[in-house]
Amino acid sequence: MRIYLAGPEVFLADVEALAAAKRGLCAAHGLTGVFPLDPPPQAPDAAWPDWLRISQANEAHIRSCDALIANLTPFRGPSADVGTVYELGFMRALGRPVFGYTHVARRFGARSLAALGPAARRRADGAWEDAEGMAVEEFDRHDNLMLEGGIVASGGRFEVEAVPPDRRWHDLTAFTRCVAEAARVLGASA
Amino acid sequence: MRIYLAGPEVFLADVEALAAAKRGLCAAHGLTGVFPLDPPPQAPDAAWPDWLRISQANEAHIRSCDALIANLTPFRGPSADVGTVYELGFMRALGRPVFGYTHVARRFGARSLAALGPAARRRADGAWEDAEGMAVEEFDRHDNLMLEGGIVASGGRFEVEAVPPDRRWHDLTAFTRCVAEAARVLGASA
């Protein structure tokens, strides 16, 4: 069974070492980990610009996989990386199990308020909004409700592991729990 | 033909007026606009918590529609709202046309660097990275390449309209261009 490994780690300089570590943990659970930078199932149209070839290679990877694990650790703001979230929604629509994890325990509402700082203000009903009048989502989740909603509805699981900032993009504790659960859901055997 | 209207406007206090304006523009082009807050096609499981009911109502809305228009204007950071992006990826995976628009003309790379400020630094190869060693994506796009990649590959269109900050969440110029193009692609007639 093949599992797509979504996450902003593709932006790391040492991405290949991390990809190898993730693939190894998948193999130990009887799964084939597919990384975004792997050669795609079919070669994209050579006439396309780089960004479109990468995008369509990733979509082809996702379609070729049986499940997805997304690193949803906040990325340069209160929310996860949007490329990763696009891929999470994509796989969820295909009806296959999706899993996610974060390395930040603090919830989305609190993180959003911290990022807004003194710009946050109260509405008459007590809800928080930003300086543009947009409400701060507060459902005691780890990010926008669509993310955990899709994961739970798919039969997947969302794992939380508080990780020190210097290990934020390299720790694999929560990822390993996702792999073990994916192997169980997919019926894989090591 | 039904078109799902994704965007962070659901967080506005005057969301109902904006939803009515968007629905009206869709109707003028022969399309039925479906807003996230509309009653869902089927009632979600009453035993679910609010966040899961909302998430699954939105997924059911998307499945019931023929196309999607996403407001991808940057939301509290360099990227679009992750809930909207999840829905964009979801509809793209269903193989239906997806459209997007932004009210900020400045490109993603420049916006990311501006948000990082003095924390941005150069790698040996000249590429920019943040203080955690994560590269700044630079493909001269408006956001992470998965977003525009999916839109272009679906046969949709991405529209840009520079809008003054005080009209950022209410201007409908780019949205209207998306509706007209969606009507053309879907073969709708007013």
Side-chain angles (χ1 to χ4, degrees):
Chain A
M1 306 288 266
R2 292 162 56 82
I3 189 151
Y4 186 78
L5 308 177
E9 296 96 329
V10 293
F11 299 120
L12 286 170
D14 63 347
V15 56
E16 284 306 333
L18 194 75
K22 283 193 161 184
R23 279 193 208 95
L25 287 164
C26 290
H29 288 83
L31 297 168
T32 302
V34 175
F35 211 71
L37 305 178
D38 291 349
Q42 57 269 10
D45 190 326
W48 286 347
D50 282 353
W51 59 272
L52 187 54
R53 282 193 292 111
I54 297 168
S55 140
Q56 293 310 293
N58 289 353
E59 289 191 359
H61 275 314
I62 299 169
R63 289 189 191 279
S64 80
C65 287
D66 304 288
L68 175 148
I69 299 177
N71 183 347
L72 298 172
T73 301
F75 180 72
R76 296 182 191 157
S79 281
D81 165 53
V82 290
T84 303
V85 171
Y86 177 97
E87 297 180 334
L88 177 70
F90 192 102
M91 185 62 110
R92 165 65 183 141
L94 299 181
R96 303 170 200 169
V98 291
F99 302 80
Y101 64 96
T102 181
H103 289 157
V104 175
R106 196 180 195 189
R107 299 292 174 113
F108 183 44
R111 294 201 313 274
S112 298
L113 283 176
L116 291 172
R121 63 195 184 198
R122 293 270 194 187
R123 289 182 178 170
D125 66 0
W128 288 99
E129 66 176 20
D130 64 22
E132 295 186 303
M134 308 286 271
V136 174
E137 181 179 313
E138 184 45 272
F139 287 97
D140 199 27
R141 296 296 96 203
H142 291 277
D143 207 322
N144 182 290
L145 59 83
M146 294 306 296
L147 283 57
E148 271 181 81
I151 289 169
V152 168
S154 81
R157 192 179 292 181
F158 187 80
E159 291 284 343
V160 181
E161 180 76 19
V163 168
D166 66 328
R167 294 285 306 156
R168 182 189 299 256
W169 300 114
H170 291 86
D171 193 273
L172 293 171
T173 312
F175 172 78
T176 303
R177 289 202 299 269
C178 286
V179 173
E181 178 64 10
R184 193 189 66 76
V185 168
L186 294 172
S189 53
Chain B
M1 306 287 265
R2 292 162 56 84
I3 189 152
Y4 185 78
L5 307 177
E9 296 96 328
V10 292
F11 299 120
L12 286 169
D14 64 347
V15 55
E16 283 305 334
L18 194 74
K22 283 193 160 184
R23 280 194 208 98
L25 288 164
C26 290
H29 288 83
L31 296 167
T32 301
V34 175
F35 211 73
L37 305 179
D38 291 349
Q42 57 270 11
D45 190 326
W48 286 347
D50 282 353
W51 59 273
L52 187 54
R53 283 193 291 111
I54 296 169
S55 142
Q56 293 310 293
N58 289 353
E59 289 192 359
H61 274 315
I62 298 170
R63 289 190 191 278
S64 80
C65 285
D66 303 288
L68 173 147
I69 300 177
N71 183 348
L72 298 172
T73 301
F75 180 72
R76 296 182 192 157
S79 283
D81 165 54
V82 291
T84 303
V85 171
Y86 177 96
E87 298 180 333
L88 177 69
F90 192 103
M91 184 63 109
R92 165 64 184 143
L94 298 181
R96 303 170 200 169
V98 290
F99 302 80
Y101 64 95
T102 181
H103 289 157
V104 175
R106 196 179 194 189
R107 298 293 173 111
F108 183 44
R111 293 201 314 274
S112 297
L113 284 176
L116 291 172
R121 62 195 184 197
R122 293 270 196 187
R123 288 181 179 172
D125 66 0
W128 288 100
E129 66 176 21
D130 64 21
E132 294 184 304
M134 307 286 271
V136 174
E137 181 179 314
E138 184 45 274
F139 287 97
D140 199 26
R141 295 295 96 202
H142 291 277
D143 207 322
N144 182 290
L145 59 81
M146 295 306 296
L147 282 56
E148 271 180 80
I151 289 169
V152 168
S154 80
R157 193 178 290 182
F158 187 81
E159 292 285 342
V160 182
E161 180 77 19
V163 167
D166 67 328
R167 294 283 305 155
R168 181 189 299 255
W169 300 114
H170 291 87
D171 193 274
L172 293 171
T173 311
F175 172 77
T176 303
R177 290 202 298 270
C178 286
V179 173
E181 179 63 9
R184 192 189 68 74
V185 168
L186 294 172
S189 53

